Amino acid sequence: MARLALGVDLGGTNARAAVVDMGSGEIVAAHKEPLRDRTPERVVAHVRHAVQEATAAAECGVDECGRAGVGVAGQCLGTTGLVLNAPNLGWRDVPLGAMLEAALGVPVTVANDLSVAAWGEKKFGAAKGIDDVVLVFVGSGVGSGLILGGRLHQGAQGLAGEFGHVKVHPIRPTTAARRCGCGEWGCLEAYTSGMNIAARVREELAAGAATLVRDLCGGEPGRVSATLVDDAYTRGDAYAVELWGEVGELLGTNMANLVTVLDPARLILGGGVMLGCPGLAALARRRFDEAVSRSALKGLSVERAWLGDDAGVIGAALLE
Amino acid sequence: MARLALGVDLGGTNARAAVVDMGSGEIVAAHKEPLRDRTPERVVAHVRHAVQEATAAAECGVDECGRAGVGVAGQCLGTTGLVLNAPNLGWRDVPLGAMLEAALGVPVTVANDLSVAAWGEKKFGAAKGIDDVVLVFVGSGVGSGLILGGRLHQGAQGLAGEFGHVKVHPIRPTTAARRCGCGEWGCLEAYTSGMNIAARVREELAAGAATLVRDLCGGEPGRVSATLVDDAYTRGDAYAVELWGEVGELLGTNMANLVTVLDPARLILGGGVMLGCPGLAALARRRFDEAVSRSALKGLSVERAWLGDDAGVIGAALLE
């Protein structure tokens, strides 16, 4: 009989639980539960329900899985199960591990969602069989997951991989500066994540910017997205060309610096902005190729993430 | 009887060999040999002679040590013993490991000098007992050594830790850009290493810069150094204040980014510029404290390197 494991992907809008075959990495059954309420107690109840549905569909008990792994979009003190800061959930210092252990009745391991996704890709995806891997994610947020020497590198506290919070711009408030969701100034994420790009474009549209994006969103600021900017860029819109030049340079240079320092064999690219905006991705890639150390580049292959949204539950299930 | 190991530190001007007590990390005997000629063949002969002198003084044979570890200031393809690029030696693609194995008659492991130094600090210095450590070195060059999860992280090819070659300025030649010793543009090292600082100040003195450094060097450009600039800074010299503001910000921000991404428990600072220029070090530290992720900072302690020039031979001797 297949050895089964339980993985949970806890994002800002949904909790998804899956029973995963540890031998093949296949999802035996999964259940997604919208988070109608984001208080820790209600979220734990949502996770519990998602787990019950998934295990019922897989015809196995939580006990049979023995333990559960959880990936959370936020800063997690890995060893303790404490979520320090999860902006999408509005959480600070939530003892998620202990709460879930009480609710599920099995040991629970909590880790950052991108560390978990990198681990999923390592076990059954684009990093299989490779010991040194950097996964860079550019979607609603920006971050990374690091597989170093064949192991998931979570750092001394479990906070490693915070690529979105490297400082790339003035770290003190200025008129042009954007504040990051983490509360600090100058973070890469504040300038390059899908949410921050959309917010900036909406502000600049409101301030009268001349751009095709205005037409593409049909005059509805709520429809502005990185994908729309990429459409405008592809059509040669000057505003989009300038914005993408800036964002592509920031992403490319900082991905290059990560590779220069860590010398991975593979760089995996994931996230809705990176995979859904081909114009931006090409600009970032060109800049990356120019900025990365020649020697590090020689040993590197670049690959798109394979597992997509499944990386979270698969990686979480297989956390060690 | 103590288990002995053989370590070699190969810099641009000297080769130093030491017999090290593996139990205590103490240097039983050492010999330093100036490199009168830097062709690979002559350097290997110098290393061989340094090893003979050190083992003779320790009254042990090379055979008793069983193997030798070598740290080289340059890019080393760790697993192969090939030195890709060692600017201080003027080397490209030198099969140092194989050459030394033939000369010494024992297996030889070659690694980057700062990886080796970090390993020395891990085994018997400022990183003892700590599993996640970043060593940042700012001296004649700039680089880092990474201990992650208790192991030396050398990367897929052995090139990890190239902190001096992250890009911090325009990567294409401009009038103000400085070219790095590695041949690329925009590298941190090109703006912050002792050699590059001295070269820049000499150029600016020649172009007529008004600064106390001119008096401090007694009108001899050859005496310009980072230490002299630090003296001028301490006395309030406006030129030095501006230069140190720029260099301190570059070093502080980029050390912060390294810590934000890797979440080490300890940051170790080493190198003649970092340890010998207290004014610059304080500026870099202030900027570091401002730019690093709040959460990563909470779990971090910062310490000066303990082993100094001995870290290289000790770390090399203990390479695994």
Side-chain angles (χ1 to χ4, degrees), chain A residues 75 149 151 161 172 261 290 295, chain B residues 75 149 151 161 261 290 295:
Chain A
Q75 294 185 328
R151 301 188 300 194
R172 295 189 193 87
V261 166
E290 288 172 349
S295 313
Chain B
Q75 295 185 327
R151 301 187 300 193
V261 166
E290 289 172 348
S295 314

Side-chain angles (χ1 to χ4, degrees), chain A residues 12 38 73-75 83 85-92 165 181-183 189:
Chain A
R38 289 171 189 166
Q75 294 185 328
V83 177
N85 186 7
N88 297 340
L89 290 163
W91 287 6
R92 292 255 174 195
H165 304 287
C182 74
E189 177 169 301

Side-chain angles (χ1 to χ4, degrees), chain A residues 213-256:
Chain A
V213 176
R214 194 182 296 278
D215 305 327
L216 293 172
C217 74
E220 291 179 40
R223 289 180 53 207
V224 169
S225 68
T227 318
L228 277 196
V229 177
D230 208 62
D231 283 354
Y233 168 82
T234 309
R235 300 180 197 197
D237 177 63
Y239 169 89
V241 167
E242 189 179 336
L243 178 59
W244 260 195
E246 184 190 314
V247 174
E249 183 168 320
L250 282 172
L251 288 174
T253 304
N254 285 284
M255 292 193 305

